[in-house]
Amino acid sequence: MQILQKLVPIALLTFVLSSMLAMGLSLTIGQIITPLRNVRLVVLSIVANFVLTPLAAIGLAALLRLDQPFGVGLLLLGTAAGAPFLPKLAQLAKGNLAFAVGLMVLLMVITVGYLPLVLPVFLPGVSVNPTKIARSLFFLMLVPLAVALAVNARFPSVAARTKPLLNRISNLSLIALVLLLVVTNIKNVLAVFGTGGILAGLLFIAVTFAVGWWLGGPTTDTRRVLALGTAQRNIAASLVVGSQSFSDPKVVVMVVVVMIVGLLILMPLSRMLVKG
């Protein structure tokens, strides 16, 4: 079991780095900036993800009287936006793919600065190191993204050949990470059942999806993107902060449980939106 526990940070590092590099190799600066020229939609997206979603996490944790570690895990998800899965979900839902790409990068960049600032405010009784959080997110997420964007701009053929490999590494390392976290924390995972944690995750996804749909603008294609982008949180940022800043494994377990529930709901929901 100790060997498996030592593999967890390796799998986490592999997932975060490979997903950020793969994202950067598939994008250009123009693809990121152009869809964000709709200022009103950008402002509403920020409000949905960085005001209403954290408040929803705090409200649900209080309403369901979650144990503090589970509440912290839900709050981490509530404050971490910009999921790498968003373009895929938007594609399945026939949403505005250009807006999905720009929104994903915008939310992820804001998350790096936002998370270290608000966590000490939302968790006054919990000791967190804002500088350490910011440094980890900056070097693990923004730096690889910037490097990959530069490579794609300068050597597009190299980027095109490398991206499929990084995508496979990202997918496999995420699967490995989830399995390792479940196996090494099996007692804590089982302990989530009956605590309200699963219900909190379901309600969190439903509320945030509704918020994104409500604020997503007059067109259906942007509504779909913001709804999915608000409900699907940034698992990489949540796990980085959860594993490095909190000693209680239940925090990371809650993040993983809600992530799994979210994917099980949002993947088929994306397809249903097209039929609807």
Side-chain angles (χ1 to χ4, degrees), residues 68-69 72 75 119-129 245-247 251:
Q68 188 187 52
V72 170
L75 179 60
L119 274 186
V121 176
F122 286 141
L123 301 171
V126 178
S127 176
V128 294
N129 187 330
S245 299
F246 300 95
S247 58
V251 173

Side-chain angles (χ1 to χ4, degrees), residues 56-68 70-71 74 194-204 207 254:
I58 293 170
L60 287 170
L63 179 66
L64 299 175
R65 298 180 180 179
L66 294 180
D67 291 344
Q68 188 187 52
F70 294 143
L74 193 63
T195 64
I198 302 294
L199 177 59
L202 290 169
L203 291 175
F204 177 74
V207 169
M254 183 64 177

Side-chain angles (χ1 to χ4, degrees), residues 32-50:
I32 296 171
I33 295 176
T34 301
L36 302 178
R37 289 176 178 167
N38 186 333
V39 177
R40 179 178 180 276
L41 188 55
V42 168
V43 170
L44 290 175
S45 300
I46 292 172
V47 169
N49 279 275
F50 297 113

Side-chain angles (χ1 to χ4, degrees), residues 15-261:
F15 164 63
V16 174
L17 290 177
S18 59
S19 60
M20 291 302 103
L21 289 170
M23 185 189 305
L25 291 178
S26 65
L27 299 174
T28 64
I29 299 297
Q31 287 175 308
I32 296 171
I33 295 176
T34 301
L36 302 178
R37 289 176 178 167
N38 186 333
V39 177
R40 179 178 180 276
L41 188 55
V42 168
V43 170
L44 290 175
S45 300
I46 292 172
V47 169
N49 279 275
F50 297 113
V51 178
L52 299 180
T53 298
L55 291 177
I58 293 170
L60 287 170
L63 179 66
L64 299 175
R65 298 180 180 179
L66 294 180
D67 291 344
Q68 188 187 52
F70 294 143
V72 170
L74 193 63
L75 179 60
L76 281 180
L77 289 165
T79 53
F85 307 118
L86 178 56
K88 182 62 176 179
L89 293 175
Q91 187 177 32
L92 292 173
K94 304 295 183 185
N96 187 321
L97 193 56
F99 175 54
V101 170
L103 180 66
M104 170 191 65
V105 177
L106 173 69
L107 296 180
M108 191 196 72
V109 171
I110 293 176
T111 292
V112 173
Y114 174 81
L115 243 172
L117 291 177
V118 301
L119 274 186
V121 176
F122 286 141
L123 301 171
V126 178
S127 176
V128 294
N129 187 330
T131 304
K132 181 180 178 182
I133 293 173
R135 186 169 57 245
S136 296
L137 293 177
F138 178 78
F139 284 109
L140 290 178
M141 301 186 75
L142 288 192
V143 170
L145 178 65
V147 169
L149 283 169
V151 170
N152 191 30
R154 185 70 179 85
F155 308 104
S157 59
V158 174
R161 290 196 301 268
T162 309
K163 181 180 175 293
L165 174 61
L166 287 170
N167 276 331
R168 285 195 293 272
I169 294 173
S170 176
N171 293 336
L172 290 173
S173 59
L174 176 59
I175 294 170
L177 176 62
V178 171
L179 291 175
L180 286 167
L181 286 170
V182 170
V183 171
T184 56
N185 295 283
I186 187 65
K187 291 183 180 179
N188 291 320
V189 171
L190 294 176
V192 174
F193 294 90
T195 64
I198 302 294
L199 177 59
L202 290 169
L203 291 175
F204 177 74
I205 293 163
V207 169
T208 52
F209 183 90
V211 166
W213 186 271
W214 174 47
L215 296 178
T219 61
T220 303
D221 62 343
T222 55
R223 279 180 181 266
R224 290 172 178 173
V225 170
L226 188 53
L228 292 167
T230 306
Q232 179 62 57
R233 310 308 291 167
N234 191 328
I235 181 67
S238 301
L239 288 175
V240 167
V241 177
S243 62
Q244 294 185 356
S245 299
F246 300 95
S247 58
D248 194 325
K250 291 181 181 178
V251 173
V252 171
V253 166
M254 183 64 177
V255 170
V256 171
V257 168
V258 177
M259 179 205 72
I260 294 171
V261 171

